[in-house]
Amino acid sequence: MYKVIIVDDEMIVRHAVKTIIKWEDSRFEYAGSASSGVSAMELVRRSNADIVITDMKMAEMDGLKLIKSLLADGFKGEVLVLSNYNDFDLVREALKFGAYDYMLKLTLKTETFMQTLEEIAAKLDAKRSYFKPQTTTAEQADGELAQLYHLLKKHDQEEEPQLNGNIFNQKERQAISRLQGLCGYTFTLYMPKGEHANHQTLDFHETLERLAEGLFPNKHFLFVFHPRPNRYTLIISTPLLQNIVDPEEIAQRLIKLSEMYYGQVISVIYGRPATSFKHLIEQMSLNRQAEALRFYTAYQTGCQSNARLAADTNERFREAEAQMRESLRGSGDGAIDRWVEKAFLLMECAAEQGIHAKSLKRIVAGGIWGLSNVAALQMDTPWNEKGWIEKVEAADSDSSLKLIIKELSDEILVSLGQGTQLSASTSTLRQEIRQALAYLNKHFADRVSISDVASYVGLSEPYLCQLFKAETGSSILTRLNEIRMNRAYEMLLSGKYLVKQVAIEVGIPDPFYFNRLFRKRYGHPPKNVKRMPPV
């Protein structure tokens, strides 16, 4: 039996919830009610309640503070939140801090309410049996799971774990011998880096455990490892007699639930279900090998199977490589532009074909050696290519590699006296980026958002941001502001508009923000335009 208490500052609501629950012939026992979070804390301690059903908005201590207090007090049960339609922000916070689920007060029905309570009971059942695998005592169970945890953690941290032969020593084999007959699942999860990262202080380790426990209520064991920043490994085992679930479906649900409830965008690599412990270790290794493809932006979102591994080369990639090499045979005007264009095409081919980043970097570095020979024929002073090759080898993504190539070509062109920017036309840009630039040029006076641009070109927001930065060297918002400032300068130079009018016309109605952007771009306030030539 699981003891249930009901918390709400309205007596009629407490009575209604008590009436909805079928107490007879069920696994639930009514343990009392409370009108505030403070009295609920006392009731939980006194009754040893297992399930707390609480309202979110209460005067003395609201539902969110109650959940935090319960966690701080070591509460091992589950919390079900009652809410109104306008309480979503509070509900979201409650879910972050461990509430099992929420239900709308206006739609409460006995059938759905009992179904949710049964799901909570199943989770509590799993918690009670968590440290009771097929061993004779709880002490033995704790010891074996502890050994198993450290064994899996060790293999997760190894760069190249041994997959053939005897990969376990005698002590390890003894630890896992009683844990056969399981079905294991392994997932590797990644957090976004840089400007797309979620800077919330909530530890994602705990978040991931909550999500996984909800998806696998009858798990045998569940471990979460955090071997390095932005990367987590989730390992779950269920009895083999249960239905084997589709790991891709679980990966997609992890992504969806993480964003929906916790506001955290993640991507996932998943392995096949493992029916032996050695097979589970092999799937963990394949996850790490599949990680090599995350060098490419296209593989940094959504979920990916570890069955897709990076290849050293293939026929299409070799053809793109030959075209890049051929571009270095020419000389004169445009030779550097041609090489940059072919290098970008090579990178696109590598992403499409799933080529290992090491192979791509090796070829790009070789191209830089060839490019240095072309540049040397036109330069009066030597050009140092070694530093650029080191940057290529250190690149951690295709986006950063594209930026390196752009900066490299800019440096050569400056040395040759051909300007400070890449002279190639926008035809070298991907079609989606050309469309995005056209959209910005057309709608700069409107209230443009990144989601608008992403929807227009048919890409996700994170992918478009990364791709735009790699292709153009600037962010979407930076380019939008450049377009606006250029147009503002033209209008002010005409002498027909006041500064306030210009700010509104280019889509920046806030005069202080407009002045700051203008000064940053041109080095002087907009009111001085007539006295100074454009920069």
Side-chain angles (χ1 to χ4, degrees):
M1 297 289 287
Y2 289 112
K3 296 181 179 180
V4 180
I5 69 169
I6 303 168
V7 188
D8 197 293
D9 55 0
E10 296 184 26
M11 183 176 65
I12 190 171
V13 175
R14 298 197 299 270
H15 179 73
V17 173
K18 180 181 177 182
T19 304
I20 286 174
I21 298 174
K22 293 181 177 179
W23 302 104
E24 296 182 2
D25 300 325
S26 74
R27 307 171 63 188
F28 309 104
E29 174 186 344
Y30 178 65
S33 64
S35 59
S36 71
V38 174
S39 56
M41 288 294 299
E42 297 175 357
L43 181 58
V44 169
R45 296 189 189 105
R46 188 171 64 252
S47 65
N48 292 320
D50 303 292
I51 300 173
V52 176
I53 302 172
T54 181
D55 185 24
M56 288 305 298
K57 293 182 178 180
M58 296 179 291
E60 192 173 357
M61 176 191 286
D62 63 21
L64 187 58
K65 291 181 180 179
L66 172 59
I67 294 171
K68 294 178 181 179
S69 298
L70 287 171
L71 290 176
D73 202 42
F75 179 61
K76 301 300 182 183
E78 294 293 331
V79 178
L80 179 63
V81 169
L82 301 179
S83 71
N84 295 311
Y85 283 103
N86 59 349
D87 292 344
F88 182 75
D89 288 340
L90 285 174
V91 169
R92 185 173 177 176
E93 288 297 309
L95 293 171
K96 285 182 182 180
F97 283 97
Y100 177 82
D101 204 345
Y102 72 96
M103 303 193 75
L104 294 172
K105 290 183 179 180
L106 296 179
T107 61
L108 292 180
K109 295 181 179 179
T110 296
E111 183 179 352
T112 54
F113 206 100
M114 293 304 298
Q115 181 179 350
T116 302
L117 286 178
E118 287 295 340
E119 291 173 359
I120 293 176
K123 183 176 180 180
L124 292 173
D125 288 343
K127 282 185 177 181
R128 288 183 174 180
S129 62
Y130 184 78
F131 287 111
K132 296 181 181 179
Q134 297 174 3
T135 51
T136 55
T137 66
E139 184 178 353
Q140 287 178 317
D142 288 350
E144 290 178 353
L145 282 176
Q147 290 184 52
L148 183 61
Y149 174 87
H150 291 297
L151 174 61
L152 288 168
K153 185 176 182 180
K154 180 186 74 172
H155 283 278
D156 184 51
Q157 293 173 335
E158 292 176 356
E159 291 298 324
E160 296 181 0
Q162 181 182 358
L163 295 181
N164 298 317
N166 187 8
I167 63 175
F168 306 122
N169 60 36
Q170 182 177 0
K171 184 177 180 180
E172 291 168 343
R173 289 199 301 274
Q174 290 176 350
I176 65 174
S177 61
R178 300 184 183 91
L179 297 174
Q180 300 302 317
L182 305 176
C183 183
Y185 304 86
T186 177
F187 304 89
T188 307
L189 300 93
Y190 303 87
M191 309 294 108
K193 299 179 181 178
E195 60 182 322
H196 303 295
N198 185 339
H199 298 291
Q200 294 180 357
T201 58
L202 181 66
D203 185 359
F204 192 74
H205 188 288
E206 298 178 2
T207 299
L208 184 53
E209 285 184 339
R210 295 191 196 108
L211 291 175
E213 286 177 353
L215 294 173
F216 291 89
N218 296 319
K219 65 185 182 304
H220 187 81
F221 63 75
L222 185 157
F223 298 133
V224 175
F225 309 124
H226 186 27
R228 64 175 184 263
N230 301 95
R231 178 179 179 270
Y232 291 82
T233 297
L234 169 64
I235 299 174
I236 303 168
S237 175
T238 62
L240 188 58
L241 296 178
Q242 292 185 354
N243 294 330
I244 296 178
V245 300
D246 181 1
E248 180 179 6
E249 179 182 344
I250 295 298
Q252 291 173 344
R253 292 183 66 185
L254 283 170
I255 293 171
K256 181 179 180 180
L257 293 173
S258 177
E259 184 172 9
M260 179 185 300
Y261 290 147
Y262 300 96
Q264 178 66 69
V265 177
I266 62 173
S267 56
V268 181
I269 294 177
Y270 60 89
R272 292 181 296 173
T275 54
S276 72
F277 198 79
K278 182 176 180 179
H279 188 201
L280 181 62
I281 295 294
E282 291 172 349
Q283 290 299 309
M284 292 171 62
S285 177
L286 288 175
N287 278 12
R288 291 199 295 280
Q289 293 179 48
E291 185 177 346
L293 288 175
R294 287 183 52 79
F295 176 81
Y296 302 104
T297 306
Y299 290 90
Q300 293 174 7
T301 57
C303 62
Q304 169 192 347
S305 169
N306 68 11
R308 177 75 187 274
L309 300 178
D312 290 331
T313 187
N314 62 23
E315 184 176 353
R316 287 190 59 185
F317 183 69
R318 286 191 292 269
E319 290 175 357
E321 176 189 355
Q323 291 177 11
M324 190 188 77
R325 294 183 187 277
E326 185 66 25
S327 70
L328 293 174
R329 296 183 182 276
S331 59
D333 294 341
I336 295 170
D337 292 346
R338 288 195 298 271
W339 181 84
V340 170
E341 180 181 1
K342 296 302 181 182
F344 282 3
L345 290 174
L346 178 73
M347 293 175 63
E348 290 181 9
C349 178
E352 292 173 357
Q353 300 299 309
I355 302 300
H356 202 291
K358 292 181 180 179
S359 299
L360 174 63
K361 291 180 181 180
R362 183 179 66 249
I363 293 169
V364 171
I368 292 177
W369 282 107
L371 190 65
S372 67
N373 294 329
V374 173
L377 297 175
Q378 306 175 54
M379 287 183 181
D380 296 329
T381 57
W383 177 66
N384 180 19
E385 68 281 352
K386 183 177 179 181
W388 288 105
I389 292 176
E390 291 175 351
K391 288 184 179 181
V392 167
E393 292 174 347
D396 60 358
S397 68
D398 57 347
S399 298
S400 61
L401 184 56
K402 282 188 176 183
L403 290 175
I404 290 168
I405 291 174
K406 278 186 172 292
E407 292 170 359
L408 176 154
S409 61
D410 288 349
E411 180 179 288
I412 298 176
L413 290 171
V414 169
S415 300
L416 294 176
Q418 297 179 15
T420 59
Q421 295 183 347
L422 189 66
S423 59
S425 68
T426 56
S427 63
T428 61
L429 300 177
R430 285 180 53 145
Q431 179 182 356
E432 295 92 342
I433 303 306
R434 294 200 301 272
Q435 291 174 340
L437 287 170
Y439 185 92
L440 295 179
N441 278 288
K442 182 178 180 180
H443 297 279
F444 70 88
D446 302 329
R447 191 171 181 176
V448 179
S449 67
I450 294 177
S451 61
D452 294 332
V453 186
S455 177
Y456 180 75
V457 302
L459 297 175
S460 68
E461 291 182 43
Y463 185 35
L464 173 61
C465 290
Q466 294 177 7
L467 197 60
F468 194 96
K469 183 74 176 287
E471 294 275 323
T472 68
S474 66
S475 69
I476 294 175
L477 295 180
T478 298
R479 178 56 64 93
L480 175 61
N481 285 331
E482 286 178 358
I483 294 170
R484 285 170 166 168
M485 292 303 101
N486 290 341
R487 176 57 178 158
Y489 199 101
E490 294 174 1
M491 294 178 68
L492 290 169
L493 197 61
S494 71
K496 299 178 180 179
Y497 303 91
L498 298 174
V499 173
K500 184 182 296 185
Q501 291 176 305
V502 172
I504 294 173
E505 288 293 325
V506 299
I508 308 177
D510 184 340
F512 299 101
Y513 183 50
F514 173 80
N515 275 269
R516 187 171 62 181
L517 287 178
F518 195 94
R519 184 186 290 272
K520 182 178 180 181
R521 173 132 177 101
Y522 294 106
H524 59 83
K527 65 181 181 180
N528 294 348
V529 165
K530 292 181 182 180
R531 297 180 232 154
M532 299 182 65
V535 178

